[in-house]
C-alpha cells in the first residue's frame, strides 16, 4: 500500500502510538507476507473450525434468553457479542476487559481519514489509539511472563524464535487485528440481520431451506458490505474512463458500488439468497484478501442461520436504528421485539 518512496500517503494517523502505518494492511512485499503469515496462525481456517462449537453455543444462549424476554438489541446481544467474544479469546484479552474495546475499536477506525474530520473527532480517535496502545503494551509484558495459546503469545514466540518484530510493531499488529475482527464482523452480522428483517420473504426462504445459509452469508456481504471502500497506491500511471491517473496517486476503490455493479450482477439492488453468483469484493482481493474471512463467515453462518430458525412463526418488529460513528458501515443499535 506504500508509495514508491516508502511513505503511506493515504491517511494521517494523528500520532505514532496505535497508528495503522506499520500495520500489515499498509504494507506490501516481504514485510506484509511475514506479518500475515504470523497472524494466520491464529486467524485461519483451523481457528474457525476449532471455535465453531463455542460460537454455536454463544448464539444459542443469546437467542434463548432474547426469545424468553420477548426481544433483543441485535447489535449488543448478537452482532457485537459473538465477534467480540471470539476476537478477545483469539488475542488473549481477558473476558473482563472485553467491554473496554466497544468504544475504542469504533473510534480508532476513523484514523483512516482523520485529516478530514473535525477536531473533536480527531481527539476521540487519538485518545482511542493511545488507550489501546497502553492496554496492549501492558498485555505484551504480561504475556512475556505468562505465555498462553493466543495470538499475542504466538507473535511473541515468533519474536523469540528469530522472526523478530520491530519495537512497537507487535502492539500495532494487535490493535489492527482486533479492530478489523471486531468492527467488520459486527457489520456483517448486524447488516445481514437487518437485510433479512427488511426482506421477510428471504427470511422465510432460509427457514424453509437452511442449506442456503452459506450462499446467504455471501449475499449479505454483497448486498450491504461492512467496508464501503478501501485505498490503494498506484505503482504506475493508470488510464480509466479516458483519464490518466499518475503514479503514486492514492485511489479509493468503492467496494460497495462494485458489489452493486449492474454490469456484474443481475438486478443488483435485490436481496436474493438464491443468487447463483453472489461473488463479491467485500473481503478485498489479491495479497491483501481478508485473512479472517473464514472466521467471519463461520460466525455469520451461525448467527443468521439460528436467528432464522429460532424466530420461525414470530412477527419481528424493528425499533429505531442508530449508526455507529465507525469508519465502517456498522449499526450501533437496533432493538427488535418478537410477537
Amino acid at each position: 500500500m506504500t508509495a514508491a518512496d516508502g511513505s503511506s500517503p493515504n491517511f494521517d494517523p494523528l500520532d505514532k502510538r496505535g497508528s495503522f502505518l506499520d500495520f500489515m494492511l499498509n504494507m506490501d512485499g516481504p514485510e506484509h507476507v511475514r506479518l500475515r503469515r504470523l497472524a494466520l496462525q491464529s486467524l485461519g481456517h483451523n481457528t474457525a473450525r476449532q471455535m465453531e462449537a463455542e460460537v454455536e453455543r454463544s448464539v444459542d444462549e443469546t437467542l434463548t434468553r432474547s426469545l424468553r424476554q420477548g426481544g433483543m438489541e441485535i447489535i449488543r446481544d448478537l452482532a457485537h457479542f459473538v465477534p467480540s467474544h471470539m476476537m478477545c479469546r483469539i488475542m488473549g484479552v481477558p473476558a473482563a476487559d472485553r467491554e473496554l474495546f466497544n468504544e475504542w475499536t469504533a473510534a480508532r477506525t476513523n484514523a483512516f481519514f482523520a485529516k478530514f474530520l473535525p477536531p473533536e473527532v480527531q481527539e476521540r480517535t487519538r485518545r482511542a489509539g493511545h488507550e489501546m496502545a497502553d492496554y496492549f503494551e501492558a498485555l505484551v509484558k504480561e504475556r512475556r511472563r505468562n505465555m498462553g495459546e493466543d495470538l499475542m503469545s504466538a507473535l511473541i514466540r515468533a519474536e523469540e524464535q528469530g522472526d523478530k518484530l520491530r519495537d512497537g510493531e507487535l502492539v500495532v499488529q494487535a490493535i489492527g487485528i482486533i479492530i478489523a475482527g471486531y468492527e467488520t464482523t459486527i457489520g456483517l452480522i448486524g447488516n445481514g440481520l437487518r437485510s433479512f428483517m427488511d426482506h421477510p420473504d428471504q427470511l422465510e426462504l432460509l427457514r424453509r431451506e437452511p442449506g442456503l445459509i452459506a450462499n446467504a452469508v455471501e449475499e449479505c456481504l454483497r448486498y450491504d458490505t461492512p467496508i464501503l471502500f478501501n485505498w490503494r497506491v498506484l505503482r504506475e500511471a493508470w488510464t480509466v474512463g479516458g483519464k490518466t491517473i499518475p503514479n503514486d496517486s492514492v485511489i479509493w476503490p468503492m467496494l460497495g458500488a462494485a458489489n452493486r455493479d449492474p454490469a456484474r450482477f443481475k438486478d443488483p439492488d435485490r436481496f436474493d439468497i438464491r443468487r447463483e453468483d453472489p461473488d463479491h469484493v467485500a473481503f478485498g482481493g489479491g495479497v491483501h484478501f481478508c485473512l479472517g474471512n473464514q472466521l467471519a463467515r463461520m460466525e455469520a453462518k451461525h448467527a443468521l442461520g439460528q436467528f432464522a430458525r429460532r424466530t420461525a412463526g414470530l412477527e419481528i418488529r424493528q425499533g429505531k436504528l442508530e449508526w455507529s460513528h465507525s469508519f465502517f458501515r456498522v449499526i450501533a443499535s437496533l432493538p427488535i421485539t418478537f410477537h
Side-chain angles (χ1 to χ4, degrees), residues 93 97-105 132 135-136 182:
V93 171
D97 293 344
R98 184 169 57 87
E99 296 300 320
L100 293 173
F101 290 88
N102 291 359
E103 176 65 21
W104 286 346
T105 55
M132 292 182 79
Y135 183 92
F136 280 112
Y182 252 66

Side-chain angles (χ1 to χ4, degrees), residues 47-53 55-56 86 188 217 293-303:
T47 299
R49 187 177 65 251
Q50 292 165 7
M51 290 192 165
E52 188 159 15
V55 168
E56 187 173 12
M86 292 302 106
L188 166 55
V217 169
N293 73 90
Q294 293 294 329
L295 185 62
R297 283 172 160 132
M298 181 270 287
E299 292 172 353
K301 179 184 74 172
H302 287 289

